[in-house]
Amino acid sequence: MNTNAAKPIEAGSGGVGSAGLAVGSLLRRPEAGAFLGLLGVFIFFTIFGGTSFLMPAGVASWLNVAASLGIVALPMGLLMIAGELDISIGSMIPAGSMTVAIIAGHYGLSIWLGISVALAIGIIVGLVNGILVVRTAVPSLIVTLGTLFAVAGAVLGLSVIITGTTSVALTSTGLAKTIFGSFIGAQFQVIILWWMALAVIYIFFIHYSPFGNWLFAMGGDKESARNAGIPTQRLTVLLFVLSSTSAAFVGVCQAILFSSAQVSAGMSFIFNAIIAVVVGGVLLTGGFGSVIGIVFGTLTFAVVNQGIYFTSFDRNWSSLIIGVLLLLAVLLNNTFRKMALTYTPRKK
């Protein structure tokens, strides 16, 4: 387990002291505040959104948003835990969409070829980001800002040259449509299953393998981690590759699901992913967070983002309400984190 997980409760103690220690251990977990924030906004919209918010269509509305955002937020959160940031995802999502749409839609080639090329582009951009970050003294924010605009310009320019337009139609059937762009029960997007599977994989590697300890050590002090023999450079490059490839994958799924791709889609994912990760309990300074917390934070953002449409509130105030609720969730998360770090069980 990583060093940020809750410490085990010592055996041999009972009663109030043991219960207090258990509460303190739970509060010390990075996802504790994220869960309480999610619970708070869920109760809020259950009360003000009525029964429609809890109906299958209502649940699907925020789960579908959470799944696409969550696949991008997971590697983004790991990068932030390691003390890095990747904002090039805003261009990688339309890059993935347009690549598969141009290859399979415009040229009529195999959909699997389009998917492979899209993911390969994600790997290449991730390698460029990672190598530039570890080989230069330029902060990852600046590096990925450069690739954000470079990839966006390349996607726009090449799309116009190749197709003469910024929007390309795509028709997908068969297995690719089933596993990447179909609906479960006519409402739930299949990408939800991808998000759940990836979350389980990340939980295992980050919280139950040495990779997690390396990651948190990098976020705490990268120089000390390197001196301790941790392959910080390779791990940093790997994290950037995961981030870019995940964004390209989301773009592919969206193109197949909606049977079209546009060069302008994806920029909102930058801030939405960062918000979800921060709400999930990950510190901007690195070294603290959890995969489960990121999942909770993603759900919180999706519930707030979609739940407003199930209430009777004036839609002109929707952005204000969303901002206030998300701010409250972040403050709640931060408050419980501070309480956890200063918690001392009462002595008998």
Side-chain angles (χ1 to χ4, degrees):
M1 293 287 288
N2 65 67
T3 56
N4 286 286
K7 295 181 179 179
I9 302 173
E10 297 180 359
S13 61
V16 177
S18 178
L21 185 59
V23 172
S25 297
L26 289 174
L27 290 178
R28 287 186 180 92
R29 299 186 66 89
E31 62 269 16
F35 173 74
L36 292 173
L38 172 61
L39 183 62
V41 299
F42 190 83
I43 292 174
F44 177 87
F45 285 109
T46 299
I47 294 174
F48 292 98
T51 57
S52 59
F53 176 72
L54 299 177
M55 296 296 287
V59 175
S61 69
W62 46 267
L63 267 185
N64 292 337
V65 171
S68 296
L69 178 61
I71 291 177
V72 176
L74 285 170
M76 173 74 82
L78 301 187
L79 273 169
M80 291 173 63
I81 291 174
E84 306 291 351
L85 187 64
D86 181 11
I87 63 172
S88 66
I89 59 172
S91 294
M92 288 311 304
I93 291 175
S97 296
M98 291 300 294
T99 298
V100 69
I102 290 174
I103 292 177
H106 181 72
Y107 286 113
L109 300 176
S110 169
I111 185 70
W112 296 104
L113 176 62
I115 294 172
S116 300
V117 174
L119 296 180
I121 292 175
I123 294 173
I124 293 172
V125 173
L127 286 172
V128 171
N129 285 336
I131 292 173
L132 287 177
V133 168
V134 301
R135 295 290 177 86
T136 69
V138 181
S140 56
L141 173 63
I142 305 301
V143 170
T144 56
L145 179 63
T147 52
L148 170 72
F149 284 100
V151 173
V155 171
L156 175 60
L158 291 174
S159 298
V160 172
I161 291 174
I162 295 173
T163 67
T165 181
T166 58
S167 179
V168 179
L170 168 68
T171 301
S172 176
T173 58
L175 183 61
K177 180 69 174 180
T178 301
I179 64 178
F180 295 119
S182 62
F183 285 91
I184 302 173
Q187 295 174 327
F188 297 88
Q189 297 175 11
V190 72
I191 198 173
I192 295 174
L193 299 181
W194 283 100
W195 177 43
M196 294 170 61
L198 289 171
V200 171
I201 294 172
Y202 280 122
I203 287 172
F204 172 77
F205 279 103
I206 302 305
H207 300 293
Y208 296 93
S209 77
F211 295 103
N213 291 325
W214 295 353
L215 186 68
F216 287 102
M218 287 172 57
D221 189 335
K222 190 165 293 185
E223 190 64 31
S224 298
R226 185 184 298 111
N227 294 335
I230 296 175
T232 56
Q233 292 189 349
R234 282 184 293 173
L235 189 56
T236 299
V237 173
L238 175 61
L239 291 174
F240 277 106
V241 170
L242 285 175
S243 180
S244 294
T245 308
S246 297
F249 176 77
V250 170
V252 167
C253 292
Q254 288 186 342
I256 296 176
L257 176 68
F258 300 114
S259 300
S260 66
Q262 296 181 342
V263 298
S264 60
M267 288 297 178
S268 63
F269 276 79
I270 300 174
F271 297 105
N272 293 350
I274 294 175
I275 291 172
V277 170
V278 173
V279 171
V282 176
L283 293 183
L284 290 172
T285 53
F288 188 87
S290 73
V291 174
I292 297 176
I294 296 171
V295 171
F296 287 157
T298 303
L299 284 170
T300 300
F301 178 86
V303 168
V304 173
N305 186 268
Q306 296 298 115
I308 192 70
Y309 298 105
F310 293 91
T311 67
S312 58
F313 300 139
D314 188 346
R315 298 299 184 271
N316 293 324
W317 297 94
S318 60
S319 295
L320 174 62
I321 296 172
I322 291 173
V324 169
L325 288 177
L326 287 176
L327 182 59
L328 289 175
V330 172
L331 292 176
L332 179 66
N333 191 356
N334 190 54
T335 299
F336 273 87
R337 182 180 65 84
K338 289 182 178 179
M339 289 173 58
L341 294 176
T342 59
Y343 176 83
T344 302
R346 183 186 304 175
K347 294 183 179 180
K348 292 183 178 180

